[in-house]
Amino acid sequence: MPEAASVQATIGDSEFDRDTAVTRRSPGVYDVDLSAGWTIIGAVNGGYLLAVLGRALAEALPHGDPFTISAHYLTASQPGPAVVRTDVVRTGRTLSTGQASLFQYDPEGREVERIRVLASYGDLDALPDDVRTTAKPPAIPPIEECFGPQDAPGPVPGGSAIADRLFLKLDPATLGWALGAPSGKGEMRSWFGLADGRDPDPFSLLLAVDALPPTAFEMGLEGWVPTVELTVHVRCRPAPGPLRVAISTRNLAGGFLEEDAEVWDSADRLVAQSRQLARARLTN
Amino acid sequence: MPEAASVQATIGDSEFDRDTAVTRRSPGVYDVDLSAGWTIIGAVNGGYLLAVLGRALAEALPHGDPFTISAHYLTASQPGPAVVRTDVVRTGRTLSTGQASLFQYDPEGREVERIRVLASYGDLDALPDDVRTTAKPPAIPPIEECFGPQDAPGPVPGGSAIADRLFLKLDPATLGWALGAPSGKGEMRSWFGLADGRDPDPFSLLLAVDALPPTAFEMGLEGWVPTVELTVHVRCRPAPGPLRVAISTRNLAGGFLEEDAEVWDSADRLVAQSRQLARARLTN
């Protein structure tokens, strides 16, 4: 799908898979190495971090697919070594629940907790096919009418290492902020994929929900919008091909806003829903 | 507001406050007594349970107001004694994060975990007044044109102890299910309060988001819709007076559905948003 990919990477053999890999140190404890490749202006992307934690829980639990995963972001993660400690809360026939924390190390080598998550896992392939969804896929123009960081004439404001790893093509209707004319609406829509052509899976969905520019930009705000809490529901294993991500914000108040994301696959299935609470800087 | 309340109860001195009270057993550990008054056909209501856990965390953390609280429901709670064990994850200047688990006892007296939550608390009164909300209050008729359990000619299907403690007046447009003619739309709207007239606070908002009949009823499904996970964002301290709650479901698929709730106060402020993932029985 992305034009640049000469040899298409596959699920299990791609940069995303290597950079979210977890290595078992002892039962339930996993060493990881946070890659600098998924940073936004130096900060490690919250969706990438959630995918790392999600993979650790998939190892620790008897079920392999995140159905619902909630993360509270405590301190800012840095590229480099980290450890994920997991706890099996309950195992059931169709759902298992686990907890995980990601720690890094302070200058004295002490563990500092970065993120804590609580999640319930199941088997997406075991779900019945019944669909009664009333939601419609987002109205987003064809890929060739959308724009990504590589289409910009110069360096993009907020340009980042992660941009090289993502295939993002934003709906021009939500790109006013990049031209200095934000629409004032809390909406952001984009085509989404991995730059090396790896197809989506439940773990890359955890990345997809937090990879677009913040809706706050289209509401005329600037600067960082740090996530306090992010919950993702994975509803269906995504079909191969590009995803469409639509994010909306209805309530910006008291210095906080929510971002609701919907992710649709190439088969027009609503494959993930997420909501996050983030802090906003109400400076202008 | 509720017609039946002869003497209006107040925040701190009401049935809801007494039934969600927590008693410190040791640092971070709280004894509670789950009341049979908040059950729906024998099952303890998930929003009531969240309020109990929310109050325990308010005791354990330096901040008193839940900003975002995520609960994973593990096993069905029963009326009777329980214990809440809390863990302070991180304390910060504006936000503190904590974890809590509610346990009950099996016949051998061993603790069985019912619910685990992860939450970030702050001080709602310290938030700036800035509001740029684009969401509009739900279109719901005046209270006198809405209907509650007490308006039914006979016993209500699903009638429950909790109905006596709530002031619920449902929008007739979302009441088709009660007349055997569900609309097919995943919507439920109601006025909400406590029957004794106690005004809303952040803890009763945790109840409000999970107190309406399931949207699944209006989609033609029957039976129990057990919550897997529920996340609530409290965005503003509610003004006195009745609340309006609007719940919507966009995606019913694979045996699961999400329920998104918005809670509006009498001052037309969006005071809480929630999303839950629940299981649906796709039998008809």
Side-chain angles (χ1 to χ4, degrees), chain B:
Chain B
M1 150 209 38
E3 310 86 342
S6 50
V7 177
Q8 183 169 317
T10 56
I11 294 174
D13 183 14
S14 74
E15 193 164 27
F16 177 74
D17 293 283
R18 286 185 288 278
D19 288 351
T20 57
V22 302
T23 305
R24 201 178 102 141
R25 181 200 291 183
S26 57
V29 181
Y30 303 89
D31 285 304
V32 301
D33 191 17
L34 300 180
S35 162
W38 305 87
T39 52
I40 296 180
I41 324 174
V44 184
N45 173 264
Y48 162 72
L49 292 166
L50 192 58
V52 170
L53 282 151
R55 286 192 61 184
L57 278 170
E59 295 290 323
L61 292 170
H63 293 96
D65 297 321
F67 275 32
T68 167
I69 181 164
S70 295
H72 286 247
Y73 293 79
L74 308 169
T75 55
S77 298
Q78 307 295 330
V83 60
V84 177
R85 298 182 179 278
T86 64
D87 175 30
V88 177
V89 177
R90 176 179 176 269
T91 60
R93 192 172 52 85
T94 56
L95 287 176
S96 300
T97 301
Q99 178 180 313
S101 293
L102 185 137
F103 298 88
Q104 290 193 298
Y105 308 95
D106 73 8
E108 283 74 46
R110 289 175 300 221
E111 290 188 355
V112 179
E113 189 167 354
R114 299 296 192 209
I115 311 172
R116 190 175 293 204
V117 311
L118 205 49
S120 292
Y121 276 54
D123 177 2
L124 287 171
D125 299 325
L127 298 183
D129 280 335
D130 197 294
V131 178
R132 302 192 192 188
T133 299
T134 56
K136 300 277 177 255
I140 177 169
I143 289 177
E144 50 282 10
E145 295 171 23
C146 292
F147 297 91
Q150 67 281 19
D151 300 314
V156 184
S160 305
I162 195 172
D164 296 334
R165 280 155 191 84
L166 301 181
F167 172 76
L168 276 185
K169 288 283 187 178
L170 283 95
D171 183 341
T174 65
L175 261 178
W177 61 275
L179 306 168
S183 70
K185 292 184 201 162
E187 297 178 5
M188 198 65 67
R189 290 183 293 275
S190 186
W191 294 91
F192 176 91
L194 292 166
D196 58 12
R198 176 199 188 271
D199 279 318
D201 74 343
F203 300 110
S204 74
L205 295 179
L206 304 182
L207 171 68
V209 299
D210 193 40
L212 271 56
T215 54
F217 287 1
E218 272 297 271
M219 290 185 281
L221 303 186
E222 293 175 1
W224 199 31
V225 187
T227 303
V228 175
E229 178 264 333
L230 168 61
T231 296
V232 187
H233 298 175
V234 176
R235 303 295 302 274
C236 179
R237 189 176 305 284
L243 301 168
R244 285 154 294 171
V245 182
I247 303 188
S248 61
T249 296
R250 291 164 57 80
N251 189 33
L252 167 59
F256 288 85
L257 77 166
E258 95 285 0
E259 278 199 6
D260 286 0
E262 284 190 356
V263 185
W264 294 77
D265 72 4
S266 63
D268 276 356
R269 287 284 296 265
L270 180 46
V271 291
Q273 292 169 294
S274 76
R275 174 172 287 169
Q276 69 171 264
L277 183 69
R279 292 200 211 206
R281 291 219 191 108
L282 299 171
T283 49
N284 50 351

Side-chain angles (χ1 to χ4, degrees), chain A residues 14-21 33-49 51-52 77-79 160-167 192-196 198 203-204 207-208 210-211:
Chain A
S14 75
E15 192 164 26
F16 177 74
D17 293 283
R18 287 186 287 277
D19 288 349
T20 57
D33 190 18
L34 300 180
S35 163
W38 305 86
T39 52
I40 296 179
I41 324 175
V44 184
N45 174 263
Y48 162 73
L49 293 166
V52 170
S77 298
Q78 307 295 331
S160 304
I162 196 172
D164 296 333
R165 280 155 193 83
L166 300 181
F167 172 78
F192 177 91
L194 292 165
D196 59 12
R198 176 199 189 271
F203 300 110
S204 73
L207 172 67
D210 194 40

Side-chain angles (χ1 to χ4, degrees), chain A residues 69-120:
Chain A
I69 180 164
S70 296
H72 286 247
Y73 293 79
L74 308 169
T75 55
S77 298
Q78 307 295 331
V83 60
V84 177
R85 298 183 179 279
T86 64
D87 175 30
V88 176
V89 177
R90 176 179 175 267
T91 61
R93 192 172 53 83
T94 57
L95 287 177
S96 299
T97 301
Q99 178 181 313
S101 293
L102 186 137
F103 297 89
Q104 290 193 299
Y105 307 95
D106 72 7
E108 283 75 47
R110 288 175 300 222
E111 290 187 355
V112 180
E113 190 166 356
R114 300 296 193 208
I115 310 173
R116 189 174 294 202
V117 310
L118 205 48
S120 291

Side-chain angles (χ1 to χ4, degrees), chain A:
Chain A
M1 151 208 40
E3 310 85 343
S6 50
V7 177
Q8 183 168 320
T10 56
I11 294 173
D13 183 14
S14 75
E15 192 164 26
F16 177 74
D17 293 283
R18 287 186 287 277
D19 288 349
T20 57
V22 303
T23 305
R24 202 178 99 140
R25 181 199 292 184
S26 58
V29 181
Y30 304 89
D31 285 303
V32 301
D33 190 18
L34 300 180
S35 163
W38 305 86
T39 52
I40 296 179
I41 324 175
V44 184
N45 174 263
Y48 162 73
L49 293 166
L50 192 58
V52 170
L53 283 151
R55 286 192 61 185
L57 277 170
E59 295 291 323
L61 292 170
H63 294 96
D65 298 320
F67 275 32
T68 168
I69 180 164
S70 296
H72 286 247
Y73 293 79
L74 308 169
T75 55
S77 298
Q78 307 295 331
V83 60
V84 177
R85 298 183 179 279
T86 64
D87 175 30
V88 176
V89 177
R90 176 179 175 267
T91 61
R93 192 172 53 83
T94 57
L95 287 177
S96 299
T97 301
Q99 178 181 313
S101 293
L102 186 137
F103 297 89
Q104 290 193 299
Y105 307 95
D106 72 7
E108 283 75 47
R110 288 175 300 222
E111 290 187 355
V112 180
E113 190 166 356
R114 300 296 193 208
I115 310 173
R116 189 174 294 202
V117 310
L118 205 48
S120 291
Y121 276 55
D123 177 3
L124 288 171
D125 299 324
L127 297 183
D129 281 334
D130 197 297
V131 178
R132 302 191 193 185
T133 299
T134 55
K136 300 277 177 256
I140 176 169
I143 290 178
E144 50 281 9
E145 295 171 22
C146 292
F147 297 91
Q150 67 281 19
D151 300 315
V156 183
S160 304
I162 196 172
D164 296 333
R165 280 155 193 83
L166 300 181
F167 172 78
L168 276 186
K169 288 282 186 179
L170 282 97
D171 183 342
T174 64
L175 261 178
W177 60 276
L179 306 168
S183 70
K185 292 184 202 163
E187 297 178 6
M188 197 65 67
R189 289 183 294 274
S190 186
W191 294 90
F192 177 91
L194 292 165
D196 59 12
R198 176 199 189 271
D199 279 319
D201 74 344
F203 300 110
S204 73
L205 295 179
L206 303 183
L207 172 67
V209 300
D210 194 40
L212 271 57
T215 53
F217 287 1
E218 272 296 270
M219 288 185 282
L221 303 187
E222 292 173 3
W224 199 33
V225 187
T227 303
V228 175
E229 178 264 333
L230 167 61
T231 297
V232 187
H233 298 174
V234 176
R235 303 295 302 275
C236 180
R237 190 176 303 285
L243 301 168
R244 286 154 293 171
V245 182
I247 303 188
S248 61
T249 296
R250 291 164 57 79
N251 190 32
L252 167 59
F256 288 85
L257 77 167
E258 94 286 1
E259 278 200 4
D260 285 1
E262 284 191 355
V263 186
W264 294 77
D265 72 3
S266 63
D268 276 356
R269 287 284 296 266
L270 180 47
V271 291
Q273 292 168 294
S274 76
R275 175 172 288 168
Q276 69 170 264
L277 184 69
R279 292 201 210 205
R281 293 220 189 108
L282 299 171
T283 48
N284 50 351

